[in-house]
Amino acid sequence: MSDFFDPGRWKPAPFLPASDARDGALTFVIAVLCFLACLTALGVIAADRASRGWTDQLTGEATVVVRPKSNETPDSAAARAAETLAGVPGVTEARAIEADKAEALIAPWLGDVADLEDLPVPRLVAVVLDPQTPASKRDMDRALKSQGLDALVDDHSAWMADIQRSAGMTRWIGAAIFLMIAAAAGAVVAFATRAGMAARREVVEVLHLTGAEDAFIARLFQTRFALMAARAGLLGAGAAAIVGAGLRLAGGGAGLTPVLPVAWSDLLAVLPCPLVAAAVAAVAARATAAALIRELV
């Protein structure tokens, strides 16, 4: 008799069950997609940081190739060029690179050359520019020509353009991958919604006959799959954060590799993942449920 007076015994059953046999597989698929999306975001952030670091480094430096004339030695020409550039406004430091270091720089391009003394190896001058008001290539060219020096100024603009172009391509590719993953998650949720509504066709018809609005019925499926996607997003984001932390710990201050320097602050990028996953699932489930309700009733 005690069960007869138990309020839980007479509590109406939910229109949708709290769990389904397919929930585990669906949660796993969405979690994997969220994991891949978070890794993509971490990779794009790290690549963008690397490109900005390289650009800043190249922006603050320049290299001058000095070709000695017939009446002077390469070392004296490089020293004179360094002295001239040191007086140009916007140049912090100008230093002639020693002959052995210059030969070491060109050795990879020439191969195993035993003796480079007979070759007309130019001398290099490393220039450090003022980060606030750097000297322009034109100013340095004008100063060198005024001293009768045959020199070529490389302000690394070509390299910076390549780096910036590569960084832009990385961002666009990362955004495309993220959108594809979001579309795949939406498709998975739409398929699960369609299967769930097909299995509960009678429930949907009864609800509709009793006066339930289509929006109310669609909201049942929307809430169910949004909560499921939020849990899956939390799992995927957590796994991605663990991988990112492992890469950061394995690589030290510069990350695992200078190409992808992962910072601790990058791990914050995975925080919106559960909300984004829930939003994508909610939109996909509601749109699919609304369309199927019109077909079923």
Side-chain angles (χ1 to χ4, degrees):
M1 292 292 295
S2 60
D3 293 342
F4 183 82
F5 295 101
D6 184 8
R9 176 184 177 90
W10 303 103
K11 183 179 180 180
F15 294 121
L16 296 179
S19 61
D20 190 276
R22 293 163 294 200
D23 286 357
L26 181 60
T27 301
F28 174 77
V29 172
I30 297 178
V32 171
L33 292 175
C34 292
F35 172 74
L36 296 176
C38 290
L39 283 187
T40 301
L42 291 177
V44 171
I45 293 173
D48 185 68
R49 177 182 296 104
S51 67
R52 284 188 283 106
W54 295 338
T55 301
D56 293 342
Q57 184 177 0
L58 291 176
T59 302
E61 297 179 356
T63 304
V64 179
V65 181
V66 182
R67 293 180 289 265
K69 295 185 176 181
S70 57
N71 58 347
E72 61 182 347
T73 64
D75 292 331
S76 62
R80 195 157 61 92
E83 183 180 358
T84 300
L85 292 171
V88 176
V91 173
T92 304
E93 180 185 358
R95 177 177 54 85
I97 298 178
E98 295 80 1
D100 55 345
K101 293 183 178 180
E103 293 174 357
L105 291 174
I106 65 175
W109 304 96
L110 299 179
D112 186 12
V113 179
D115 191 1
L116 293 176
E117 294 182 357
D118 296 334
L119 297 178
V121 178
R123 292 294 183 263
L124 303 178
V125 176
V127 181
V128 179
L129 303 176
D130 186 347
Q132 302 299 328
T133 56
S136 65
K137 181 179 179 180
R138 180 181 302 177
D139 294 338
M140 290 185 285
D141 276 332
R142 186 181 298 112
L144 292 169
K145 290 180 179 178
S146 65
Q147 298 298 321
L149 289 163
D150 184 8
L152 176 64
V153 179
D154 181 9
D155 60 353
H156 306 157
S157 57
W159 299 98
M160 288 189 292
D162 291 339
I163 292 174
Q164 292 171 352
R165 183 165 53 252
S166 299
M169 291 179 59
T170 301
R171 286 191 290 267
W172 281 108
I173 292 174
I177 294 175
F178 183 84
L179 291 177
M180 290 175 62
I181 293 175
V188 169
V189 172
F191 178 80
T193 303
R194 180 179 291 273
M197 293 193 68
R200 298 170 181 84
R201 181 188 181 110
E202 295 80 5
V203 176
V204 174
E205 291 177 346
V206 170
L207 288 173
H208 193 270
L209 291 175
T210 55
E213 297 181 355
D214 294 350
F216 171 78
I217 302 174
R219 195 179 303 116
L220 294 175
F221 291 89
Q222 176 186 9
T223 303
R224 173 186 175 83
F225 289 107
L227 292 176
M228 183 188 303
R231 292 192 295 268
L234 186 61
L235 293 175
I242 292 174
V243 172
L247 294 176
R248 179 64 175 76
L249 290 173
L256 186 62
T257 169
V259 179
L260 292 175
V262 179
W264 290 115
S265 59
D266 296 348
L267 302 183
L268 298 177
V270 307
L271 292 180
C273 181
L275 297 178
V276 174
V280 172
V283 172
R286 187 175 185 86
T288 305
L292 285 177
I293 289 171
R294 291 192 293 269
E295 296 178 5
L296 294 176
V297 300

